Short mmCIF file of all heavy atoms in Angstrom, two decimals:
data_model
loop_
_atom_site.label_atom_id
_atom_site.label_comp_id
_atom_site.label_asym_id
_atom_site.label_seq_id
_atom_site.Cartn_x
_atom_site.Cartn_y
_atom_site.Cartn_z
N GLY A 84 102.86 15.97 279.03
CA GLY A 84 103.90 17.00 278.95
C GLY A 84 105.27 16.36 278.93
O GLY A 84 105.43 15.19 279.32
N SER A 85 106.28 17.10 278.45
CA SER A 85 107.62 16.50 278.48
C SER A 85 108.13 16.41 279.92
O SER A 85 109.00 15.63 280.23
CB SER A 85 108.59 17.25 277.57
OG SER A 85 108.65 18.60 277.88
N ASP A 86 107.56 17.20 280.82
CA ASP A 86 107.87 17.05 282.25
C ASP A 86 107.67 15.60 282.68
O ASP A 86 108.52 15.01 283.35
CB ASP A 86 106.92 17.91 283.09
CG ASP A 86 107.35 19.37 283.16
OD1 ASP A 86 108.40 19.71 282.59
OD2 ASP A 86 106.63 20.16 283.80
N PHE A 110 116.97 24.14 283.01
CA PHE A 110 115.58 23.89 283.36
C PHE A 110 115.46 23.52 284.85
O PHE A 110 116.01 22.50 285.28
CB PHE A 110 115.07 22.75 282.47
CG PHE A 110 113.59 22.52 282.53
CD1 PHE A 110 112.69 23.57 282.47
CD2 PHE A 110 113.11 21.22 282.60
CE1 PHE A 110 111.33 23.33 282.50
CE2 PHE A 110 111.75 20.98 282.63
CZ PHE A 110 110.85 22.03 282.58
N TYR A 152 121.73 15.03 281.89
CA TYR A 152 120.69 15.85 281.27
C TYR A 152 121.34 17.04 280.59
O TYR A 152 122.15 17.75 281.20
CB TYR A 152 119.69 16.35 282.33
CG TYR A 152 118.72 17.41 281.82
CD1 TYR A 152 117.50 17.05 281.26
CD2 TYR A 152 119.03 18.77 281.90
CE1 TYR A 152 116.61 18.03 280.78
CE2 TYR A 152 118.16 19.74 281.43
CZ TYR A 152 116.95 19.36 280.87
OH TYR A 152 116.08 20.33 280.40
N CYS A 154 120.34 20.40 277.70
CA CYS A 154 119.20 21.13 277.15
C CYS A 154 119.72 22.05 276.05
O CYS A 154 120.59 22.87 276.29
CB CYS A 154 118.54 21.93 278.28
SG CYS A 154 117.02 22.76 277.79
N ASN A 158 117.17 26.37 278.10
CA ASN A 158 116.31 27.26 278.86
C ASN A 158 117.01 27.51 280.19
O ASN A 158 117.33 26.54 280.86
CB ASN A 158 114.94 26.60 279.08
CG ASN A 158 113.98 27.44 279.88
OD1 ASN A 158 114.25 28.58 280.20
ND2 ASN A 158 112.84 26.86 280.22
N ASP A 183 117.22 17.61 276.12
CA ASP A 183 115.91 18.28 276.14
C ASP A 183 115.89 19.31 275.02
O ASP A 183 116.64 20.29 275.04
CB ASP A 183 115.71 18.93 277.52
CG ASP A 183 114.31 19.51 277.70
OD1 ASP A 183 113.62 19.78 276.69
OD2 ASP A 183 113.92 19.71 278.87
N ALA A 185 113.08 21.14 273.95
CA ALA A 185 111.76 21.78 273.99
C ALA A 185 111.63 22.91 272.96
O ALA A 185 110.54 23.24 272.53
CB ALA A 185 111.48 22.32 275.40
N TYR A 186 112.79 23.48 272.57
CA TYR A 186 112.78 24.63 271.65
C TYR A 186 113.43 24.33 270.30
O TYR A 186 113.80 25.24 269.57
CB TYR A 186 113.45 25.84 272.33
CG TYR A 186 112.77 26.17 273.64
CD1 TYR A 186 113.28 25.72 274.85
CD2 TYR A 186 111.57 26.88 273.64
CE1 TYR A 186 112.63 25.97 276.04
CE2 TYR A 186 110.92 27.14 274.83
CZ TYR A 186 111.45 26.68 276.02
OH TYR A 186 110.80 26.93 277.20
N THR A 209 108.38 18.59 273.04
CA THR A 209 107.07 18.91 273.60
C THR A 209 106.17 19.56 272.55
O THR A 209 106.66 20.16 271.60
CB THR A 209 107.24 19.87 274.81
OG1 THR A 209 105.95 20.24 275.29
CG2 THR A 209 107.99 21.15 274.43
N SER A 211 104.13 21.81 273.74
CA SER A 211 103.72 22.97 274.55
C SER A 211 104.23 24.30 274.00
O SER A 211 103.71 25.35 274.37
CB SER A 211 104.26 22.84 275.98
OG SER A 211 103.69 21.74 276.63
N LYS A 212 105.27 24.30 273.21
CA LYS A 212 105.88 25.57 272.82
C LYS A 212 105.49 25.88 271.36
O LYS A 212 104.51 26.56 271.15
CB LYS A 212 107.40 25.49 273.05
CG LYS A 212 107.78 25.02 274.47
CD LYS A 212 107.54 26.04 275.55
CE LYS A 212 107.45 25.56 276.99
NZ LYS A 212 108.55 24.86 277.59
N ARG A 220 99.02 19.32 277.63
CA ARG A 220 100.08 18.50 278.21
C ARG A 220 100.46 17.31 277.34
O ARG A 220 100.04 16.17 277.58
CB ARG A 220 99.69 17.99 279.62
CG ARG A 220 99.06 18.99 280.55
CD ARG A 220 99.96 20.17 280.87
NE ARG A 220 101.24 19.78 281.45
CZ ARG A 220 102.42 20.11 280.91
NH1 ARG A 220 102.49 20.81 279.79
NH2 ARG A 220 103.52 19.73 281.49
N ILE A 221 101.23 17.54 276.29
CA ILE A 221 101.72 16.45 275.44
C ILE A 221 103.22 16.64 275.21
O ILE A 221 103.65 17.64 274.63
CB ILE A 221 101.04 16.43 274.05
CG1 ILE A 221 99.53 16.49 274.19
CG2 ILE A 221 101.45 15.17 273.26
CD1 ILE A 221 98.86 17.25 273.08
C1 PLP B 1 108.75 24.21 278.75
C2 PLP B 1 109.84 23.22 278.95
C3 PLP B 1 109.58 21.88 279.21
C4 PLP B 1 108.23 21.39 279.65
O1 PLP B 1 107.36 21.24 278.69
P1 PLP B 1 105.98 20.45 278.92
O2 PLP B 1 105.96 19.56 277.74
O3 PLP B 1 104.95 21.51 278.88
O4 PLP B 1 106.03 19.71 280.20
C5 PLP B 1 110.62 20.99 279.26
N1 PLP B 1 111.88 21.40 279.12
C6 PLP B 1 112.18 22.69 278.91
C7 PLP B 1 113.59 23.09 278.77
C8 PLP B 1 111.17 23.64 278.83
O5 PLP B 1 111.48 24.92 278.69
#
Side-chain angles (χ1 to χ4, degrees):
S85 55
D86 279 358
F110 190 45
Y152 169 90
C154 186
N158 179 6
D183 187 339
Y186 304 97
T209 177
S211 296
K212 309 287 160 59
R220 315 299 303 123
I221 310 146

